[in-house]
Amino acid sequence: MNLKLLNDAKRIIVKIGSTLLVDPENGNIRVDWLRLLAEDLKTMSESGSEIIIVTSGAIAAGRRDLGLGSDRLRLEESQAAAASGQVRLAHAYASALQASGLIAAQVLLTIDDMDSRRRYLNARNTITTLLQLNAIPVINENDTIATTEIRFGDNDRLAAGVAAMMSADVLILLSSDIDGLYSADPNSDKKAEWIPVVQRITPEIEAMAGSTISSDSSGGMVTKLIAARAATAAGCNMVITSGKGRKPLQRLLSGGRSTWFMAKRSPISARKHWIFSVLQPRGELVVDNGAVDALDRGKSLLPAGVKVVEGNFERGDSVLVLDLNGNKVGRGLVAYSAADATKIIGHKTTAIEKILGYSGRDEMIHRDDLVLENEK
Ligand code: GLU
């Protein structure tokens, strides 16, 4: 049943950890392994799934080149290592994917890109465009400029953030040391039992990871559970499996050992819930009857249909959409600030660039960012 989830997934995130990708002995990127993985990815993309990679390995690949040895690095040192290693990482992905006829496109994100609405929309739009252009986004944290306070710190969490941002259906965590969740550490406890499916992350499940989840833990199963919680809350199913050896994705697809963490709702309904119930509206757009009809027919809200702009919102904020009688029609993430929105309302989309001096989005609120009253 879970394999069906994978086969049916429209959008899949594959997270690859440092230890899988970079040989800790010599800092070399395992290019042969990566080439085979690219073949795996090609098969997945040919069966109709969009793929996004979240990769670690920049620090591991860069530290040796800079003579930083194997001791724990200071923040500035790991940032320097990432700056150097990320270049090699990007090169390795570009050539491995190219050998399978795929195009790699590097995206470096910070936690701000997920927290700030405006940047969140930008990152999401760019990654969506890359997917439409059949490229495979290869994402890492922008370690070089991230400071301790604004770091994800581990890519399991980054991958879950990307899964939520991109409304992914499945997040695959390829692990270097474990092929799933066990009732105890299988390396030290012979009686440890494998858990194939987790419907809900209960305190019992947390206890299996070795310690209770706290926001500052990092590494190992604990961060994987934090990632699972974030991904499943966003409607994305998550699976942990071993990334070791040849073609781990094919292995997973043919029933290889793994643990699935099941999402309670679909990514779309989780996103709608987020827009409707979590975000505070920062303003209002009053729209004409033609726009109300268009929205009911599943269209986006265009500037031409907006009559009045109220409030002081920024691009990416949530706003209420009202009809001419003041009834709530829905709410959504607006593509323009209140100041710019005021200038372009009533105008055709083609006039936006001339009025604002830059070419923004065609829509005031894109359909994917809009939830109508009757859909909430
Ligand atoms: N972003 C870090 C790197 O590429 C890795 C973070 C992690 O290990 O999860 O080196």
Side-chain angles (χ1 to χ4, degrees):
M1 170 240 174
N2 295 333
L3 293 180
K4 182 166 162 35
L5 284 180
L6 206 49
N7 283 317
D8 291 351
K10 290 193 287 298
R11 193 167 278 176
I12 298 175
I13 316 274
V14 181
K15 187 264 167 177
I16 300 162
S18 300
T19 331
L20 271 180
L21 192 60
V22 181
D23 187 336
E25 294 294 309
N26 52 24
N28 290 339
I29 297 177
R30 294 191 172 101
V31 283
D32 295 338
W33 178 87
L34 193 56
R35 279 225 174 185
L36 287 170
L37 187 83
E39 289 177 21
D40 247 4
L41 296 171
K42 174 77 173 173
T43 313
M44 271 192 163
S45 87
E46 278 173 349
S47 60
S49 305
E50 291 174 335
I51 294 158
I52 298 172
I53 295 173
V54 173
T55 186
S56 307
I59 298 170
R63 57 189 303 157
R64 275 177 192 264
D65 291 347
L66 301 182
L68 285 167
S70 52
D71 292 346
R72 199 183 163 80
L73 300 179
R74 286 182 292 123
L75 179 65
E76 313 81 85
E77 288 172 335
S78 49
Q79 296 188 303
S84 161
Q86 184 63 34
V87 179
R88 281 179 50 209
L89 210 56
H91 179 74
Y93 273 100
S95 46
L97 265 57
Q98 192 182 31
S100 288
L102 301 168
I103 301 162
Q106 175 180 271
V107 180
L108 298 179
L109 294 175
T110 64
I111 213 161
D112 260 7
D113 296 313
M114 311 260 165
D115 279 358
S116 128
R117 284 293 117 59
R118 192 169 63 84
R119 295 178 60 164
Y120 179 99
L121 275 192
N122 286 349
R124 194 160 136 258
N125 291 341
T126 306
I127 296 169
T128 306
T129 307
L130 286 170
L131 293 172
Q132 284 162 353
L133 296 170
N134 293 320
I136 299 201
V138 178
I139 302 178
N140 195 356
E141 182 163 13
N142 196 349
D143 292 307
T144 300
I145 56 158
T147 61
T148 337
E149 307 79 64
I150 60 155
R151 289 199 83 196
F152 276 99
D154 77 81
N155 279 11
D156 292 335
R157 274 186 273 185
L158 172 66
V162 172
M165 174 167 82
M166 298 311 297
S167 308
D169 305 288
V170 177
L171 164 59
I172 304 173
L173 293 189
L174 292 181
S175 162
S176 61
D177 52 9
I178 199 134
D179 53 9
L181 178 69
Y182 289 79
S183 58
D185 182 353
N187 296 314
S188 53
D189 187 342
K190 287 273 162 300
K191 285 203 244 82
E193 276 176 42
W194 165 53
I195 317 281
V197 180
V198 175
Q199 297 289 354
R200 215 160 59 80
I201 302 169
T202 57
E204 288 74 33
I205 296 288
E206 286 180 15
M208 292 175 192
S211 63
T212 351
I213 292 177
S214 79
S215 56
D216 58 5
S217 331
S218 70
M221 195 48 85
V222 175
T223 60
K224 290 188 173 44
L225 285 194
I226 295 173
R229 183 164 276 164
T232 53
C236 179
N237 302 294
M238 186 181 111
V239 54
I240 301 175
T241 193
S242 165
K244 278 203 175 145
R246 295 168 57 88
K247 303 205 169 179
L249 299 175
Q250 207 175 76
R251 208 165 53 223
L252 177 65
L253 275 164
S254 44
R257 183 165 282 204
S258 62
T259 296
W260 280 84
F261 294 83
M262 309 306 291
K264 287 282 165 286
R265 36 176 139 212
S266 72
I268 300 290
S269 69
R271 191 169 157 72
K272 289 197 164 159
H273 171 78
W274 177 67
I275 291 174
F276 220 100
S277 313
V278 180
L279 300 177
Q280 263 319 355
R282 304 261 175 230
E284 293 169 4
L285 300 176
V286 180
V287 305
D288 64 22
N289 294 339
V292 175
D293 285 347
L295 296 183
D296 279 340
R297 279 183 282 117
K299 299 271 195 284
S300 297
L301 177 64
L302 300 178
V306 182
K307 289 289 188 206
V308 182
V309 175
E310 296 273 8
N312 184 15
F313 49 83
E314 284 304 315
R315 169 174 154 69
D317 277 341
S318 157
V319 294
L320 289 174
V321 179
L322 307 176
D323 69 14
L324 293 172
N325 299 321
N327 301 314
K328 284 184 195 162
V329 178
R331 63 176 84 178
L333 307 182
V334 65
Y336 290 92
S337 66
D340 285 353
T342 307
K343 291 182 201 155
I344 58 173
I345 57 172
H347 288 281
K348 284 225 164 66
T349 292
T350 46
I352 297 177
E353 184 167 1
K354 197 141 181 259
I355 300 171
L356 297 180
Y358 65 88
S359 68
R361 301 279 289 177
D362 288 353
E363 309 83 13
M364 187 67 93
I365 301 179
H366 190 275
R367 191 67 192 86
D368 295 347
D369 299 326
L370 182 77
V371 188
L372 299 184
E373 280 292 318
N374 57 19
E375 308 177 301
K376 60 181 171 175

